[in-house]
Amino acid sequence: MSRGVYPAHREADVVLRDGSTVHVRPVRPEDGPALLEFYRSLSLQARTFRFFSPAVNLEAAARRDCHVDYVNSFTLVAVAGPEQKVIGVASYVRVDTDRAEVGFAVADAYRGRGLGTILLGHLAEIAAANGINVFEAVVLPTNFDMVSVFRDSGFPVQLRVGPDEIHVTLPTSITPEAMERFERREQVATINALRNFFYPRAVAVIGASRDRNSVGGSLFRNLLDFGFEGPVYPVNINAPVVQSVVAYPTIEAVPGPVDLAVIAVPAARVAEVAGQCGRKGVRALVVISAGFAEVGEEGRARQAELLRICRAYGMRLIGPNCIGIINTDPAIRLNATFGPVPPPAGRVGFASQSGALGLAIIDYARTFDLGLSTFVSMGNKADISGNDLLNYWEADPNTDVILLYLESFGNPRKFSRIARRVGRKKPIVAVKSGRSSAGARATASHTGAILAASDVTVDALFRQSGVIRTDTLEELFEVASLLANQPLPPGRRVGIVSNAGGPAILAADACEAQGLQVPILAPETQGRLRGVLPPEASVLNPVDMTATATADHYRQAVEAVAADPGVDALIVVFLPPLRIRSEDVAAAIVEGARYANSLGKPVLSVFISSRGVPEELKRADIRVPSYAFPEGAAIALAHAVRYAEWRARPLTEPPRFEDIRQDEAAAIVARALGQGGGWLGPDETWRLLQCYGFTMVRQVLGRTPEDAARAAEELGGEVVLKAFAPGLTHKTERGAVRLGLRGPDQVREAAIEMARRLEAQGFYDLTFAVQEFVTGGVEMLAGMVHDRHFGPTIVCGAGGIFVELIKDVSVRLTPLTREDAAEMVRELKSYPLLTGFRGSAPVDVAAFEEALLRLSALAEDLPDVAELDLNPVLVRERGAVVLDARIRVEPAQPPPPLAARTPPTF
């Protein structure tokens, strides 16, 4: 058997059900002795289940499973421990064109931890990529564990019982149900792994110091002072006692078990210490030390070695280069940070990628009286990342709101999948730094240029995932204060109550600027307000009670406005006059908010000149968020409204188009890749788009001016002449487009002149396209760029030659739903042009939305399409016609393995 190239991209670190990790990789020829040792270590029953006989020739079995070609035969091994011993084997052998026989074996010590299911998922993904559509297996009737692996996998399994055996068949394609089950298993594994961080039985601080002002000294003191409910062991090779507690020279000398080790030693010693932790049986490491991937090549190598040691011992890692973790749960009280002041306890989970900002965030949480359930400084995210924390916080009964400070993404598509699921239950608020275009790659298409000029892709990711994005940390805390303490607003209609006209007008302006509505109150509400407020008060909305308003006026006005059926949320503004105490007003607002909350309506307060939350608002059982100015309240409320609307939207799947000819399109792309890839010619471009059901303008191609003249005669009527050549972009600026030509003579002369001009600019090997001249409609842009991090990204906007100047665009990530497409089009500034602007006829918006959906389907089906421009798409009264298009193909990067895809980073 000829051996193929070793598929290194199929290697992956995976997380087992108990939170530990193992390494899965394709088998190598030199693995024979290790496989033989593994097979010999199996119990008699396990060996019988795998080979149907306890007397099998194990040497031959190991030799067979090692000698594979990675296509028709494939073996995966799972390895663990510092010696990387084989603990699991999965293999297939092709038995027919699209079928293969599959077999598994898992070490007795690892059974029941989800390894068999993980191996099945990985092997199925590999088999599908190699053209194998069906797995077959023969299982002994008493092999209940193997039958359970197949049944619980999420694949649609068929069982047929025969004499003394069970025949199993299943498809290798990853169905949505199978993907959901794999992700749920990963979530369970992640939760179990993170419980070792947040709920350890014992903690060791390696590098604990007698100097309380040092990092190691502060860490150790914070754990003691915060009241950790288990033993805390100081580890210091030079000190027998640290801060009045007996210390140990190494963690291996600690007498009891240790779940969590916090490491604060010089970077050069971290790997050695991590190895000691592994031998001790530690499950979780928090590495405070800096000097890793953030400092260059040497640091990256040091970080890779640290991660290798963690993987070898099945440990999970937070950091390195972080400030630590906090869990305020009274049952554990864990403060493993070196910050000076812990945060108040509450129901907000916070993850920060920046260590320095992490300390400021904890202090800021105290200023806003925003209680945290857990805090994690992710540092370099070598292992545990934001994706893991989202999985944990979704299931954490102590967390209601999730806050993130991010500087980079590692796996944004996975983040999107997790966030969409989590956001349906708990709001996620994020600050993502880096909105500038510095470092954006150069690109030749309109679509690529638009995306490279900003971080609209991140905006699209957050919008589709239901993540609330704020521009500043202050805004993040203001939004979080609302979400953590008040119900979600049921709509956009805001009632404003104030004791001064100016602030009330500012609040109304700020609300409308954020897309909120300030409706006139119902006559019944106005009458109720006139009955309790001074005669000079305005009761329309905003409600200006005037400066003579008392605390009781506030309570009654808030209750009256909250009862109005045309109001969904309230902003209550207080400008302190001389005779009214802020404390009394705050107490009255709380009483009014109690009634409003019972109706499902949130209340926000603005205490102008009173920075922070008044004490009466803090002490109340109902917390009313307070803002320094009306604008902050309006922005926070608008974020909450948009999130509530997203959450209320029903979940839908992307549409399926039955007329798509995917195989024909894939063949076009394959031929282009075989010729080196790059920009497709006009004929290939047209044929590829027609495979996906796009309506293309009629065009005839030719190589010479005489060909162009004949094409004009064939089409008849008014035509457009275009020229294509290798490297020729932005045809209008190059003089490669002529409109409104009639007859073969005009086209011939124009083609001769066009060829002369383009050849003078260095463009040769021209192809002419003569197209029917189509008028009447609105020119729009639709495009796609396959971002190496975010995947296919769809853009739509105003089309034509000024698209990069106007930059009226909307962006989403694939796959698009019908709701996504409709939302994209309607948020454009140019949308009124489609609906009939200044007497013009409305055009077929639904046809343009369908073009976006077909573009999304193409991008999902053909990952080798790197860039695609449809500009312009002429949206007419009936239908949408593509007038010009460009497509670039290049080999796609192989996808990461299916299961954990560790390290699972943002």
Side-chain angles (χ1 to χ4, degrees):
M1 176 188 301
S2 61
R3 176 173 296 278
V5 177
Y6 180 77
H9 67 282
R10 294 297 182 183
E11 295 196 16
D13 294 309
V14 300
V15 187
L16 303 183
R17 190 174 294 136
D18 62 355
S20 62
T21 60
V22 300
H23 187 65
V24 172
R25 61 170 174 81
V27 76
R28 302 187 183 108
E30 60 271 22
D31 287 329
L35 255 65
L36 178 58
E37 181 183 356
F38 166 71
Y39 287 143
R40 284 174 172 166
S41 72
L42 294 176
S43 67
L44 190 64
Q45 183 187 56
R47 204 181 304 168
T48 303
F49 284 161
R50 173 63 183 90
F51 300 110
F52 275 59
S53 170
V56 67
N57 186 332
L58 296 180
E59 290 86 351
R63 196 162 48 247
R64 179 193 64 234
D65 287 342
C66 275
H67 288 78
V68 296
D69 63 6
Y70 302 122
V71 177
N72 298 302
S73 56
F74 204 109
T75 297
L76 285 172
V77 294
V79 295
E83 297 84 15
Q84 294 291 277
K85 294 184 66 171
V86 175
I87 58 167
V89 176
S91 59
Y92 76 71
V93 176
R94 193 190 298 261
V95 295
D96 203 346
T97 304
D98 66 342
R99 305 172 78 86
E101 186 174 343
V102 64
F104 300 86
V106 174
D108 295 344
Y110 282 82
R111 297 180 74 173
R113 295 163 69 176
L115 179 56
T117 303
I118 290 173
L119 289 172
L120 172 60
H122 279 248
L123 198 65
E125 186 179 40
I126 293 166
N130 288 334
I132 294 170
N133 299 325
V134 178
F135 271 163
E136 300 176 343
V138 179
V139 181
L140 289 175
T142 53
N143 192 354
F144 306 118
D145 289 345
M146 197 67 251
V147 173
S148 296
V149 166
F150 287 123
R151 282 196 181 279
D152 296 342
S153 66
F155 291 95
V157 176
Q158 292 184 345
L159 301 181
R160 191 178 78 254
V161 178
D164 299 323
E165 59 188 23
I166 299 174
H167 294 265
V168 181
T169 60
L170 67 153
T172 58
S173 57
I174 306 295
T175 63
E177 181 186 4
M179 177 61 77
E180 181 180 354
R181 291 204 186 187
F182 277 112
E183 291 184 346
R184 287 296 182 187
R185 289 188 193 95
E186 183 182 352
Q187 182 180 22
V188 169
T190 297
I191 291 169
N192 289 332
L194 283 168
R195 283 193 65 84
N196 291 317
F197 289 95
F198 293 133
Y199 290 91
R201 293 169 297 173
V203 180
V205 179
I206 304 175
S209 172
R210 291 173 291 187
D211 180 1
R212 298 191 180 190
N213 294 320
S214 68
V215 170
S218 297
L219 267 165
F220 184 66
R221 176 48 50 189
N222 284 347
L223 280 162
L224 298 178
D225 289 349
F226 202 59
F228 177 65
E229 291 295 332
V232 181
Y233 299 109
V235 176
N236 187 319
I237 196 169
N238 297 315
V241 176
V242 171
Q243 299 183 37
S244 302
V245 179
V246 173
Y248 301 90
T250 69
I251 192 168
E252 292 176 280
V254 172
V258 176
D259 291 329
L260 171 65
V262 185
I263 300 176
V265 301
R269 287 197 55 221
V270 169
E272 174 193 356
V273 168
Q276 295 169 357
C277 290
R279 291 191 292 273
K280 174 66 177 175
V282 172
R283 305 296 301 277
L285 297 185
V286 174
V287 176
I288 307 295
S289 315
F292 290 86
E294 78 279 5
V295 298
E297 195 59 44
E298 182 181 351
R300 280 191 289 272
R302 189 178 290 134
Q303 183 166 305
E305 174 63 10
L306 170 61
L307 187 60
R308 186 195 66 77
I309 292 169
C310 290
R311 292 288 178 263
Y313 287 101
M315 297 184 292
R316 301 305 301 272
L317 167 69
I318 288 177
N321 186 32
C322 71
I323 67 167
I325 62 174
I326 295 173
N327 182 5
T328 63
D329 186 341
I332 192 73
R333 296 196 58 80
L334 174 77
N335 179 10
T337 70
F338 54 87
V341 182
R347 304 191 61 79
V348 176
F350 204 128
S352 173
Q353 194 171 340
S354 166
L357 274 176
L359 294 175
I361 285 166
I362 293 173
D363 185 53
Y364 224 70
R366 183 167 290 278
T367 300
F368 272 81
D369 194 41
L370 188 68
L372 301 186
S373 60
T374 39
F375 168 83
V376 177
S377 169
M378 296 182 289
N380 292 1
K381 299 189 303 183
D383 181 17
I384 296 293
S385 73
N387 286 345
D388 296 308
L389 293 167
L390 288 181
N391 271 323
Y392 177 82
W393 281 323
E394 179 186 15
D396 181 22
N398 297 326
T399 300
D400 294 332
V401 179
I402 298 167
L403 306 184
L404 306 171
Y405 173 78
L406 307 174
E407 295 175 347
S408 65
F409 281 102
N411 194 339
R413 288 177 72 82
K414 184 175 182 181
F415 168 81
S416 178
R417 291 197 307 273
I418 297 172
R420 287 188 199 211
R421 187 188 73 236
V422 176
R424 293 281 167 179
K425 304 173 185 175
K426 301 178 181 182
I428 303 169
V429 191
V431 172
K432 167 65 174 68
S433 60
R435 284 186 176 269
S436 72
S437 59
R441 67 180 179 86
T443 181
S445 72
H446 294 292
T447 303
I450 291 167
L451 292 180
S454 70
D455 71 340
V456 291
T457 310
V458 176
D459 281 334
L461 172 71
F462 285 162
R463 185 183 294 111
Q464 287 175 272
S465 305
V467 176
I468 300 169
R469 183 178 191 177
T470 65
D471 292 325
T472 65
L473 283 172
E474 182 176 23
E475 186 181 330
L476 176 136
F477 276 99
E478 289 178 338
V479 174
S481 185
L482 170 60
L483 296 172
N485 296 303
Q486 291 288 303
L488 288 175
R492 291 178 169 263
R493 301 166 300 178
V494 184
I496 299 170
V497 177
S498 175
N499 66 344
I505 294 171
L506 286 175
D509 289 346
C511 285
E512 294 193 346
Q514 292 297 320
L516 303 176
Q517 301 163 10
V518 185
I520 295 175
L521 298 175
E524 296 81 5
T525 305
Q526 294 183 39
R528 181 175 172 182
L529 290 168
R530 287 193 184 98
V532 298
L533 296 180
E536 60 273 20
S538 172
V539 296
L540 295 178
N541 195 22
V543 177
D544 177 8
M545 301 183 296
T546 75
T548 61
T550 65
D552 197 48
H553 285 145
Y554 265 96
R555 179 187 60 77
Q556 294 181 79
V558 169
E559 290 179 351
V561 175
D564 192 306
V567 170
D568 300 310
L570 286 84
I571 295 178
V572 186
V573 184
F574 177 67
L575 183 64
L578 294 176
R579 293 175 298 169
I580 307 296
R581 294 190 338 131
S582 298
E583 294 84 352
D584 296 336
V585 171
I589 291 174
V590 168
E591 289 308 306
R594 191 185 308 279
Y595 175 71
N597 289 177
S598 72
L599 302 175
K601 301 179 181 183
V603 176
L604 299 79
S605 66
V606 179
F607 280 72
I608 297 177
S609 84
S610 177
R611 189 61 173 165
V613 181
E615 288 300 318
E616 282 64 28
L617 299 184
K618 294 180 182 180
R619 289 197 294 264
D621 57 330
I622 290 180
R623 298 291 184 94
V624 178
S626 183
Y627 303 85
F629 298 102
E631 294 84 355
I635 290 171
L637 181 57
H639 280 304
V641 165
R642 287 190 288 270
Y643 168 69
E645 290 173 345
W646 174 87
R647 188 157 142 171
R649 188 183 305 160
L651 289 171
T652 57
E653 294 296 322
R656 299 177 64 87
F657 296 101
E658 299 300 329
D659 59 343
I660 286 175
R661 306 191 303 275
Q662 183 180 349
D663 292 344
E664 183 180 338
I668 294 171
V669 172
R671 280 195 297 270
L673 290 174
Q675 297 168 5
W679 293 99
L680 300 185
D683 179 53
E684 296 167 307
T685 298
W686 245 241
R687 287 191 291 112
L688 180 57
L689 292 171
Q690 286 170 337
C691 287
Y692 275 81
F694 289 94
T695 302
M696 312 299 295
V697 67
R698 288 179 61 205
Q699 81 171 12
V700 180
L701 302 179
R703 300 287 295 176
T704 66
E706 196 58 44
D707 292 339
R710 282 193 291 270
E713 189 171 15
E714 177 183 337
L715 291 173
E718 206 167 2
V719 297
V720 176
L721 175 68
K722 298 178 181 179
F724 297 84
L728 175 59
T729 61
H730 305 309
K731 292 188 288 294
T732 300
E733 292 91 325
R734 299 285 188 179
V737 179
R738 288 286 302 274
L739 306 177
L741 301 175
R742 284 188 174 275
D745 293 338
Q746 282 191 15
V747 171
R748 183 186 297 107
E749 291 175 10
I752 292 170
E753 171 59 26
M754 192 177 289
R756 185 181 302 118
R757 184 184 303 114
L758 291 173
E759 287 173 1
Q761 298 176 57
F763 296 106
Y764 301 95
D765 193 23
L766 300 181
T767 297
F768 293 103
V770 181
Q771 298 177 346
E772 179 184 8
F773 190 30
V774 182
T775 59
V778 179
E779 289 190 352
M780 301 297 290
L781 162 79
M784 185 277 294
V785 168
H786 201 115
D787 185 278
R788 67 188 183 93
H789 293 297
F790 291 84
T793 305
I794 304 293
V795 174
C796 77
I801 62 175
F802 300 116
V803 60
E804 290 169 39
L805 175 65
I806 299 172
K807 293 182 180 176
D808 176 27
V809 296
S810 180
V811 180
R812 295 291 188 277
L813 306 181
T814 63
L816 296 185
T817 64
R818 293 194 182 278
E819 290 75 16
D820 289 330
E823 191 178 69
M824 287 181 75
V825 177
R826 282 155 183 76
E827 70 188 28
L828 294 171
K829 296 183 182 70
S830 53
Y831 176 65
L833 295 176
L834 301 172
T835 58
F837 185 69
R838 290 193 172 183
S840 62
V843 296
D844 194 346
V845 176
F848 185 54
E849 292 171 2
E850 182 171 312
L852 296 175
L853 293 168
R854 290 181 178 274
L855 185 56
S856 170
L858 185 154
E860 286 286 297
D861 291 345
L862 305 174
D864 298 310
V865 174
E867 224 169 330
L868 188 154
D869 246 0
L870 308 179
N871 183 33
V873 178
L874 190 65
V875 187
R876 312 178 76 186
E877 289 187 36
R878 293 189 62 183
V881 183
V882 178
L883 302 185
D884 203 357
R886 303 189 73 220
I887 298 176
R888 182 173 64 85
V889 301
E890 67 179 19
Q893 294 296 315
L898 168 71
R901 293 177 167 98
T902 307
T905 57
F906 277 124

